[in-house]
Amino acid sequence: MENISDWLLNTIREDEKRGVMSGWIEEKRFLLLPHMARIIGHILQGGSVIVLTDSAREWFGDYVTAHINQPHKGRPFFPIVQIKHLNDMIDSNTKEGGMQGFQLIGDMLNMMCPNYRFWYIGKKNARADFARYQGEGWYWIFDENIHSAENFLSSTDEKLDYKLISLFKVFERAIIASMLNKISLEI
């Protein structure tokens, strides 16, 4: 069984040979791997993931949830969802209630799905603060500090959309490989 670090490196290099521009992931893989392995482990242990984005990346949240669980893929569905109304709830409660509003929304989510983590994608804003307030998750927060584990993408990168989709596809392949015991989550 290959570890996730070696698997990711081999996957990236195979993709490069096929003309998929994923060499940039190789440069960032040590920032990605601990968080990716942790969120995959959470899923494999029965946890769920709620996709949350800033308003400019709502299309990406839609893309993830539309593509992760397609029936023709012939595998179990992964507990990765997006709750559309959550964006409005966070935005309006931030204006009205701040942290107290965060607590009320968090309590509601705990009643709905008690073992969840957030996967936040976008710029730092109230939604990012809410996701972080909820605890462990996977945060792709743009522009704060390009060299940290959470902030490895830039909103001004002309290839940002391509990079987001590429990362998602690698993530999906890693979940499948982990589920089939082809890779271990040890880094």
Side-chain angles (χ1 to χ4, degrees):
M1 181 182 306
E2 193 173 23
N3 69 45
I4 192 169
S5 181
D6 292 340
W7 175 86
L8 181 60
L9 183 60
N10 292 333
T11 299
I12 292 165
R13 290 182 176 168
E14 287 173 19
D15 285 352
E16 281 288 325
K17 289 177 189 174
R18 292 184 310 178
V20 177
M21 296 184 319
S22 55
W24 69 274
I25 299 174
E26 185 172 345
E27 294 175 22
K28 306 291 186 185
R29 76 181 188 278
F30 292 113
L31 298 175
L32 283 167
L33 277 170
H35 301 285
M36 182 187 288
R38 187 172 27 89
I39 206 79
I40 292 171
H42 174 74
I43 291 167
L44 295 178
Q45 292 170 6
S48 59
V49 175
I50 300 172
V51 177
L52 186 63
T53 68
D54 65 8
S55 57
R57 254 59 60 182
E58 285 180 8
W59 69 267
F60 182 66
D62 294 341
Y63 181 88
V64 167
T65 54
H67 287 83
I68 194 76
N69 288 324
Q70 295 177 335
H72 73 272
K73 291 189 176 184
R75 59 162 173 74
F77 283 3
F78 299 137
I80 299 174
V81 298
Q82 183 178 24
I83 304 171
K84 287 287 199 171
H85 187 62
L86 189 58
N87 296 335
D88 296 332
M89 291 177 71
I90 294 166
D91 294 345
S92 65
N93 274 292
T94 300
K95 294 173 188 164
E96 297 170 17
M99 288 299 172
Q100 183 180 359
F102 283 2
Q103 184 61 48
L104 294 172
I105 296 168
D107 291 346
M108 177 200 68
L109 290 170
N110 286 329
M111 287 187 272
M112 288 173 48
C113 48
N115 190 15
Y116 68 92
R117 301 283 184 268
F118 278 103
W119 177 12
Y120 178 80
I121 305 103
K123 288 186 173 187
K124 184 173 177 2
N125 61 18
R127 296 175 192 178
D129 292 341
F130 174 77
R132 282 181 166 168
Y133 177 79
Q134 298 305 312
E136 283 188 50
W138 198 13
Y139 310 111
W140 297 0
I141 300 174
F142 305 160
D143 303 331
E144 282 190 306
N145 176 356
I146 300 299
H147 302 294
S148 81
E150 293 181 350
N151 313 321
F152 57 92
L153 294 166
S154 169
S155 65
T156 59
D157 185 340
E158 63 185 37
K159 293 185 173 124
L160 177 61
D161 294 352
Y162 175 80
K163 288 180 177 183
L164 291 173
I165 292 171
S166 297
L167 282 170
F168 165 70
K169 291 191 178 294
V170 167
F171 173 56
E172 182 180 28
R173 289 162 65 187
I175 298 172
I176 294 166
S178 297
M179 186 178 75
L180 298 174
N181 283 330
K182 292 182 177 182
I183 62 172
S184 74
L185 297 177
E186 295 175 19
I187 299 172

